[in-house]
Amino acid sequence: MAESQTAELMDKIVSLCKRKGFIFQSSEIYGGINGFWDYGPLGVELRKNIRDCWWNDMVRQRDDVVGLESSIIMHPKVWEASGHVGGFTDPMVDCKVSKQRFRADQVFFAPVVVDGQVAGYVSALESERIAGELQEKAETLKRKKAIQGKLEPVQPRDFTEAKPDEIPLVPSPATGEPGSLTPPRAFNMMFETYVGALRDESAVAYLRPETAQGMFADFKAVLDTGRVKIPFGIAQIGKSFRNEITPRNFIFRSREFEQMEMEYFISDEDDWAKWHRYWIDWCRNWLISVGVSASELSEYDHPKEKLAFYSKGTTDIMFRYPFGVQELWGIAARGDYDLSQHAKASGIPMIYFDEATKRRYTPHVIEPAVGVDRIALAVLCSAYCEDQAPDEKGNLETRVVLRLHPRIAPIKAAVFPLLKNKPALVEKAKAVRDLLRPYLTVFYDEAGAIGRRYRRQDEVGTPFCITIDFDTLGEKGPELQDTVTLRERDSMKQERVKISDLVGLLLPKIR
Ligand code: ATP
């Protein structure tokens, strides 16, 4: 897709989310707060459905995974032991003129080389076509400076790789002028707070930047419940907080977000690569099961030289968002690092005793970690579609439809009386709504022409619409009495079904 088309798609999704009540900017009445989002009436349903599907498939349907809900604020020593206090940093760079702040690894630059001579520098913020953008800027610079000769292809590097003598020469992405960027420095992304009445060093605590440490800190407690045997996992869903330098791309990178993480503990002698592959496949299949387009998914293996010393391997499941291919789900093989660190720092051994072999060891772990918000965005991008549908007069018009998987669609079925001024129709439609309500999320709508009501539901991804008409009341004879029109969102096909069959028909389709 061309860049303008993808930007347009993103704009359409953001605007639909706001208009229809999926996602709003937090505190918008005060001008908003960067990196924080609110989920509106349909957004909360979507998120809840994503969470519920994950919890059901990850915990309830398995014998080897148990759940946990640990506190958001934990003992600060947790974050010292995990390495977050010392090392949970991103490289930050400031523009002294614009006062804007960037992540240094998201600022790309290149020398403009003409006939072997450096004629200046160009820079741009990370994007899918960074090399193309820098090349165009290099050509413009050459033209502006009226330099003759052959321009060499640009070699983009990120700003963390800038040499000290290059830093003053790289233009700020904010102003386009060189000389205002500071050297990159480490910025810790944890949000600090104080616990208790004192506001001194001893009271400092952190909002968790990930849920994972809850599983490690409670490893012994879960083990002692006697419910688990290696291999087993502990799963948790909950809010995490990161003071991201540049929150951006809508809900993709925010400062408050929700994670779904699972720590899968295996024997130190087990084949970690086999389990790693197992969980990558599981995660990929799960994404597809909730409606993420398989064709937009790919895998990225972190190069060995960029892994932390304890890491055996990390693979990210990537999704092609409109703003580029980005990490959706990380699956990391972390060895015994986390448990060993907590054992060392707390003095409590994190040892598993294998009854069968009488062997004691520190388990190793595979960690699939994903953000609910990134999944929500991926399903919205996968589902957004514009097609052609006939209007009231039979003329084709553009229809916006969210082809959300019925498992996660906020509303499963909408119920309409054909006309709102016919009490018998209204009464019957409300009875159908009440019949379905205990089993699925239903929405009753009587406002406007029936075609318009269908369109409104298409736009928010409701997979089924049920219309109660005069046939339902038996006006055309007893054979159609107590039947309704069931319309399917994607095919727009309509069929006549008995009211008494509705629950049995719909339930398997939405589960
Ligand atoms: P990134 O490189 O994009 O910053 P990360 O590698 O730091 O992500 P992890 O620490 O592995 O991310 O977190 C696990 C998952 O949590 C990510 O795969 C992503 O789905 C989600 N996540 C992480 N940071 C954010 C954020 N700021 N906003 C929304 N989701 C996030």
Side-chain angles (χ1 to χ4, degrees), residues 416-441:
F416 312 143
L418 185 63
L419 299 169
K420 72 168 175 190
N421 55 5
K422 294 282 180 254
L425 287 176
V426 168
E427 197 185 314
K428 194 76 182 168
K430 288 189 174 165
V432 171
R433 175 198 64 188
D434 295 343
L435 171 84
L436 297 177
R437 205 166 240 174
Y439 305 97
L440 38 116
T441 327

Side-chain angles (χ1 to χ4, degrees), residues 174-193:
T175 63
E177 296 298 325
S180 65
L181 291 181
T182 62
R185 59 188 192 282
F187 171 77
N188 193 305
M189 290 195 287
M190 280 203 294
F191 279 103
E192 274 185 22
T193 185

Side-chain angles (χ1 to χ4, degrees), residues 242 244 252-254 257 259 327-330 369-371 374:
R242 295 183 188 179
E244 296 278 358
F252 176 82
R253 184 177 301 288
S254 35
F257 55 99
Q259 286 188 308
E327 172 181 339
L328 170 53
W329 204 325
V370 70
R374 284 195 191 175

Side-chain angles (χ1 to χ4, degrees), residues 385-398:
C385 176
E386 290 173 12
D387 63 10
Q388 298 284 305
D391 66 10
E392 247 87 275
K393 297 189 184 107
N395 300 323
L396 282 185
E397 60 174 9
T398 301

Side-chain angles (χ1 to χ4, degrees), residues 352-493:
Y352 180 79
F353 177 62
D354 189 321
E355 297 278 355
T357 61
K358 306 290 177 220
R359 207 168 61 82
R360 285 173 203 280
Y361 60 88
T362 307
H364 285 213
V365 75
I366 310 287
E367 175 189 89
V370 70
V372 177
D373 313 81
R374 284 195 191 175
I375 295 177
L377 188 54
V379 295
L380 285 167
C381 294
S382 303
Y384 186 91
C385 176
E386 290 173 12
D387 63 10
Q388 298 284 305
D391 66 10
E392 247 87 275
K393 297 189 184 107
N395 300 323
L396 282 185
E397 60 174 9
T398 301
R399 167 178 89 134
V400 172
V401 52
L402 277 188
R403 296 185 193 273
L404 290 173
H405 194 289
R407 283 184 90 189
I408 56 155
I411 302 168
K412 309 296 184 200
V415 179
F416 312 143
L418 185 63
L419 299 169
K420 72 168 175 190
N421 55 5
K422 294 282 180 254
L425 287 176
V426 168
E427 197 185 314
K428 194 76 182 168
K430 288 189 174 165
V432 171
R433 175 198 64 188
D434 295 343
L435 171 84
L436 297 177
R437 205 166 240 174
Y439 305 97
L440 38 116
T441 327
V442 277
F443 181 74
Y444 173 83
D445 187 7
E446 56 180 29
I450 202 81
R452 294 255 289 286
R453 281 182 263 169
Y454 283 147
R455 290 293 172 278
R456 285 204 290 267
Q457 293 307 315
D458 290 342
E459 245 191 319
V460 299
T462 306
F464 302 103
C465 289
I466 296 158
T467 304
I468 283 78
D469 56 18
F470 294 105
D471 295 355
T472 318
L473 303 179
E475 292 196 2
K476 273 212 193 130
E479 47 307 339
L480 288 182
Q481 186 165 8
D482 285 328
T483 64
V484 291
T485 309
L486 178 66
R487 175 208 187 246
E488 201 270 330
R489 176 196 65 205
D490 298 345
S491 62
M492 292 185 276
K493 283 210 182 99

Side-chain angles (χ1 to χ4, degrees), residues 54 58 260-262 279-280 282-288 290 297-298 300 302 314-319 321 326-332 367-371 374-375:
W54 188 87
M58 179 60 96
M260 305 198 287
E261 296 193 288
M262 197 274 296
W279 283 110
I280 299 166
W282 189 96
C283 297
R284 187 174 186 282
N285 290 335
W286 187 85
L287 287 170
I288 296 166
V290 293
L297 291 173
S298 54
Y300 170 75
H302 288 232
T314 296
T315 300
D316 292 339
I317 298 181
M318 314 291 282
F319 179 75
Y321 291 95
Q326 297 279 348
E327 172 181 339
L328 170 53
W329 204 325
I331 299 101
E367 175 189 89
V370 70
R374 284 195 191 175
I375 295 177

